[in-house]
Every structure is written in C-alpha cells, then in structure tokens.
Amino acid sequence: MSQDATKATLSTLEKAAAEYFAEAAKIEEGGGASGVERQHRNGRLTARERLALLADKGAPSMECGLFAAWRMYREYGGAPAAGVVTTIAEVDGRLCMVIANDATVKAGAFFPMTCKKIIRAQNIAERARLPLVYLVDSAGVFLPLQEDVFPDTDDFGRIFRNNAVISAQGIPQIAAIMGNCVAGGGYLPVLCDTLLMTEGSGLYLAGPALVKAAIGQEVSSEELGGAEMHAQISGTIDFREKDDPACITRLRRVFSAVRTAPAKPKAPFASVAPRRPAEDALQVFKAEAGAQYDMVELLSCFVDADSLDEYRAEFGRSLVCAYARIDGFPCGIVANQKKLTQRKMPGGKAGPSSATNMPAVIYDDSADKAARFIMDCNQKGLPIVFVTDTTGFMVGRDSEQGGIIRAGAKMVNAMSNCVVPKISLVVGGSYGAGNYAMCGRAFDPLLTLAWPGARFAVMGAAQAAGTLLQIDLAARERKGEKVDEEMRKQLLAAVTASYNEQQDIRYAASRGWVDRIIDPKATRAELALALAVAAQAPQVAPGVSPASGGYRTGVLQT
C-alpha cells in the first residue's frame, strides 16, 4: 500500500477520534455555564466536581454512557449524557460504581435514557460486585415523558428494585443527598446501606406545593424534608453534613470502613510492554470499506509481548482465537481476521484442496473453532475479550451446505452461556449475526467498548440503502407515481444518509448499546481496567444462581 493510502487511512480514524473528543468535551459540560453557575450559587458542586473529590487522586477511571441520549430529546432542549454521570472509579483503593445526578441538566430530572443508563450501571456493579455510591441531586421524573419513564421493567421503578436486590446480595451501597431528592426518587437513597445528606437539601415524597394541593397543608421545604428534620425527627438519614465537601469527606471515611469491598484486583503476572507501541494501532488498522489488515498485528499493540498463543492458528483462520495477557491480566481473545486467509479442505485422490476466506467474514470452520475455544476459556476461568470488525457470517450455497447455521449456532450457544466475564471491543464494523456471535449487547457483556468510527447495523449502508430504496420505489409504483432518475438519486441519498446516521457508533452509544467510546491509542489501558473489573466478577452466567453449578451449554448442534 502506498504512503498516501496509509495517510488517508490514518486520517480517517484520527478524524473520527478528533470529532468524538470534541463532542465528548461538549457533553461533559452538561447544562453549560448557566447550569454550573446555578449550582455554585446554591452552594453546591456539580456532579463532576463531586466525583473528582470522591475518587482517589490520579487513579484511572472508566466513565460509562457519556453519549447516552446523544441527539435525543431535542424538542426539550436535549439531555447531555442523559443528565447523570456513571463512572467506575477508585475510592480508598477499591473499585466502585459512582452514579451522580447532573443537576445542571434539567435539574437532574429522569429522562427515559436516564433510567436505562442507571440500570446499566447497576447491572455492571451487580455482575462485578462493585460497591455503589449514589450522589443524589434530582428533581425526579421528567414529567413530559413520564409514560416512558415510569412503569416498565427498564424504567424508573427498576432502579429501586435493583437497590433492594443488590442489597440482598451483600454489595455495599452508600447514598449522599446533595440537593433535591423528591417523589419516588426518594426511595433510592433510603434503600441504601448508609445515607448522608447536606443542609439545604430536600428529601420528600411530595414537595410543599403538591402537599398544599393534595391535603391543603402549608409547610416549608425544610420542615417537610430538610436535613435537620430527617436527622432529628424522622431518623431517616445517618449523617447530616454542612455542605458538599464535608459530605464527601465523610463519605470517603464511611466507605473506608466497608470491609466487604475488596481492594482493586492486581494482575497475577508482571506487566510486559506490547511488542508494538500503542500508537501503531492507528497504522495497522484500516478503516476504509474493503481495506485489509492483520488482526494479529493489531492485537500486538495491546497484549503483553510474547504472551499471545494463537489457538489452532492454521485452522478456521477467519477468526483469531488466542490466549494472552494484557497488563499482566490473563484472558482469552476472539477476534475477526480482516485480511484474506487460506482454508484447506479435505479432498479425494487429488488430496486437500484450498479456498480463500474473505476478510471480516465468519466461516463455519472458524465458528466451530471459536465455540471450542470459548468452552475452553470457561474451563480455565479466563475472561474473554471479543474484538469485533465483521460483516457477519458467510452466505451462499457452499457455506449453507457446509453447515454455517449449525456452526454459528454452536458459537452463539457457547458464548451465551459463559460463566466467565465477557468484554466486547468494537474496532470496526459489527454487522448482522456477526454482532451476536461476537458478544453484542444482547449477550450480557460485562463491558462494551468501541473505537470512534465503529459501526453497528444489520447490514452495510450500501446494501441496506439499496434494499430500502427498492421497497420505497415499489410502493410508489403501486400508487401510480412516476420516479425519474433524478428523483431516484435523491431518494437513495436520503435513505443512505438516514442509515449512515443509525449505524454511527454514537447512535449505538446514545441508546446504551455501547458503554464507552475510547481513544484507540488507550486501548491497552482501557482493556486492563476492564479486566481488573472482570477479576471481581463471580464465575456464573448472568441471571443464573451460583448453586446451579459450572459452565453448561445446553444442546449443541454438532
């Protein structure tokens, strides 16, 4: 490949990353300068200022869901990050999940995506047994969208259900009210183990105006649900604090006394620098449609040098399966190969024949290999990192006759029933059933990370747009409409633009299908922290009782 082509590839990924970081910085501003000024005027810190005080200085953290609600709720002025910050952070040397309402965004009100984002954070914490710290400052349900916030299994009430279930599992939960906490939202902190509250905050089921309307009683906010009242009369809170800094200082001391939360896991092996520097990932990876690269070379930018042992390297070569270490943490890796590979097949008298595997496509022999490897990782207790850049499973007569559906089902079965934690990293495309087999969101990944510019969709934009256009044209023809070539081009452009927006990784992140979009150059550090989180997770399939036994796959199509 020429130097010009290499530069073009680099600029494609770097451009996507630069666009992402600029947008991320804007989202981190929350409700903007006016919202920050309002918090400070009321003697309160912002969610991110509180988090900075709470977390150990200089320790790595992992914010999840930054792009939640991206370009959503525009008719209401938007809801940056869905009005809540959810971050895996170190506190007192221990990993925990911090959930902090951002009162600069609509007074911290709950939008539909706010609920889904908090529930996802709770699910990660439950799976990895991370203590939960809630920094509460919310006006409650965003009433114009109450029908999408209030009643369903992944809505507001599920948060409180999770509080109770997590508590029953012995996972520590501490809440600090540092602002509003009204209506049903009041149950969240009260369902926690320990509850702190700052002076000037309010905790009540109904505010003064609603109380007067409901029962005709006139009462002040402080008398109804202030920190002094709850400390001296109702006995609801455990600690009354003067202000946010004092509250967080106390919270850190209370958390340090929790002995059921383990210290941050340490890697069992010494960390060894990768064979290739992290920035080489930008050179190895090729973003353009149809471009090829060697996945093994990309992995060499992340994994510890001389730790990668490729499993059945000469068989099922459209998938790379390997044992490896990342910053000293051992893991299994299942990754799509993005270059042409050769396949040997049994032959007759003439001997074995050869065929060429297309890049990024999962073939039946590769799916068989991956299923066996996934089962072996479960046997060995190794968390699995899925590195995704795939167009899906191979189609056509030969593939169908070779049993691609059977082999694919075997891989999905083995992956679905994992008792070891699964971490998904999407570096390129994640299309169709390939998204499923490579541990898409429906298959309980502990964490889903993605590179800027990655794509999620049922199929590629060109194929999808062509199909959708034909459906539209057929409908217009049935109505008797005449479509000339110019209109056809306009329709195709409109359909393509819409589909491109939907396959943008930020679109996926806005709906909670991706936890975190990461800097490609920081992939090793991101995976290392993810594996540290995974090291705390019990080896049991999500939703399955530990008493049910070890790894089981059910019936496999052999």
Side-chain angles (χ1 to χ4, degrees):
M1 182 175 286
S2 69
Q3 283 189 329
D4 289 342
T6 301
K7 288 179 181 178
T9 301
L10 282 174
S11 64
T12 299
L13 181 55
E14 288 175 336
K15 181 180 178 181
E19 184 178 340
Y20 160 76
F21 287 124
E23 205 154 13
K26 183 67 176 176
I27 293 171
E28 288 174 357
E29 294 175 0
S34 61
V36 173
E37 193 276 330
R38 183 175 62 251
Q39 281 290 99
H40 291 171
R41 187 172 65 247
N42 291 329
R44 298 170 184 165
L45 301 175
T46 67
R48 294 185 184 278
E49 289 169 341
R50 290 165 177 164
L51 181 57
L53 281 180
L54 174 66
D56 294 348
K57 298 294 184 286
S61 63
M62 179 179 285
E63 181 173 352
C64 300
L66 177 63
F67 270 73
W70 176 71
R71 293 187 179 178
M72 296 172 70
Y73 315 125
R74 293 178 179 178
E75 64 272 34
Y76 304 106
V84 64
V85 179
T86 57
T87 297
I88 299 172
E90 280 187 52
V91 179
D92 189 46
R94 290 172 288 177
L95 294 173
C96 64
M97 176 66 79
V98 182
I99 298 174
N101 300 113
D102 186 352
T104 71
V105 179
K106 304 294 190 296
F110 280 69
F111 286 76
M113 280 309 304
T114 313
C115 298
K116 291 172 175 56
K117 181 173 174 178
I118 292 175
I119 291 167
R120 173 60 181 159
Q122 290 178 319
N123 289 341
I124 293 170
E126 182 181 10
R127 179 76 176 93
R129 297 193 65 83
L130 299 173
L132 282 136
V133 177
Y134 302 91
L135 306 181
V136 183
D137 191 354
S138 171
V141 169
F142 186 68
L143 290 177
L145 295 174
Q146 67 87 25
E147 67 180 54
D148 296 319
V149 176
F150 171 65
D152 212 341
T153 54
D154 58 351
D155 287 344
F156 201 43
R158 190 70 173 188
I159 296 170
F160 316 134
R161 175 265 183 197
N162 288 346
N163 283 138
V165 170
I166 289 169
S167 179
Q169 293 178 10
I171 299 171
Q173 296 180 96
I174 301 174
I177 300 171
M178 293 184 280
N180 292 314
C181 185
V182 300
Y187 287 110
L188 183 151
V190 179
L191 282 163
C192 292
D193 309 332
T194 308
L195 176 53
L196 301 84
M197 187 174 180
T198 58
E199 294 176 2
S201 296
L203 169 63
Y204 32 68
L205 290 179
L210 184 55
V211 167
K212 184 175 181 179
I215 64 173
Q217 185 181 74
E218 292 193 14
V219 62
S220 70
S221 178
E222 180 60 37
E223 185 182 6
L224 188 65
E228 182 177 349
M229 189 281 290
H230 282 303
Q232 297 179 0
I233 301 174
S234 78
T236 300
I237 66 173
D238 304 306
F239 297 94
R240 174 161 67 108
E241 303 299 335
K242 178 183 178 182
D243 53 24
D244 286 12
C247 186
I248 291 172
T249 298
R250 174 87 70 178
L251 197 160
R252 281 186 58 89
R253 287 209 304 271
V254 169
F255 186 78
S256 69
V258 177
R259 293 295 91 194
T260 53
K264 179 183 176 181
K266 294 183 179 179
F269 299 94
S271 176
V272 178
R275 178 170 62 84
R276 301 186 64 151
E279 54 269 22
D280 275 11
L282 296 171
Q283 300 173 16
V284 174
F285 179 78
K286 302 295 184 289
E288 289 81 8
Q292 299 182 41
Y293 64 88
D294 187 347
M295 177 57 76
V296 175
E297 287 301 306
L298 187 63
L299 295 177
S300 72
C301 302
F302 316 142
V303 306
D304 293 8
D306 298 325
S307 75
L308 192 139
D309 295 305
E310 190 174 348
Y311 177 85
R312 296 186 182 178
E314 298 176 75
F315 179 81
R317 298 176 68 189
S318 69
L319 280 174
V320 175
C321 298
Y323 306 108
R325 297 174 188 167
I326 299 176
D327 200 21
F329 285 98
C331 63
I333 296 175
V334 178
N336 302 110
Q337 181 55 275
K338 267 302 294 282
K339 69 175 185 179
L340 290 169
T341 55
Q342 294 300 307
R343 177 179 182 178
K344 292 285 187 180
M345 296 175 292
K349 293 181 180 179
S353 59
S354 296
T356 300
N357 292 333
M358 296 170 59
V361 179
I362 303 173
Y363 287 78
D364 58 295
D365 58 337
S366 300
D368 272 329
K369 177 179 79 170
R372 175 65 177 78
F373 178 75
I374 289 167
M375 288 188 279
D376 193 53
C377 285
N378 278 271
Q379 187 79 350
K380 289 181 168 67
L382 288 172
I384 305 173
V385 178
F386 292 84
V387 184
T388 305
D389 190 355
T390 181
T391 54
F393 285 90
M394 188 59 190
V395 296
R397 180 193 60 200
D398 293 345
S399 185
E400 298 291 358
Q401 292 180 359
I404 186 64
I405 296 177
R406 170 188 52 75
K410 185 190 299 185
M411 180 179 174
V412 168
N413 195 325
M415 181 271 301
S416 300
N417 287 293
C418 279
V419 297
V420 296
K422 296 171 288 190
I423 297 165
S424 181
L425 169 63
V426 184
V427 297
S430 183
Y431 291 110
N435 171 275
Y436 298 163
M438 297 298 291
C439 196
R441 178 42 57 87
F443 295 88
D444 303 308
L446 175 63
L447 290 163
T448 302
L449 312 177
W451 279 7
R455 300 169 302 282
F456 266 32
V458 171
M459 63 180 75
Q463 302 93 319
T467 302
L468 292 169
L469 178 63
Q470 290 306 314
I471 294 171
D472 188 19
L473 292 176
R476 291 171 183 271
E477 188 175 306
R478 285 194 297 271
K479 295 177 184 177
E481 292 185 30
K482 297 286 186 180
V483 178
D484 58 22
E485 185 60 26
E486 183 59 32
M487 179 177 285
R488 186 183 181 282
K489 289 180 180 179
Q490 292 176 3
L491 290 171
L492 179 60
V495 171
T496 301
S498 175
Y499 198 86
N500 279 334
E501 179 185 357
Q502 292 181 34
Q503 71 172 358
D504 190 314
I505 198 64
R506 293 167 296 184
Y507 187 94
S510 73
R511 284 148 180 82
W513 308 334
V514 168
D515 295 310
R516 181 169 170 82
I517 302 174
I518 66 172
D519 181 353
K521 297 191 295 295
T523 300
R524 174 177 164 85
E526 295 276 355
L527 289 176
L529 184 52
L531 288 168
V533 174
Q536 291 194 190
Q539 293 196 10
V540 58
V544 176
S545 168
S548 65
Y551 180 60
R552 299 177 181 177
T553 61
V555 177
L556 291 177
Q557 288 279 358
T558 58

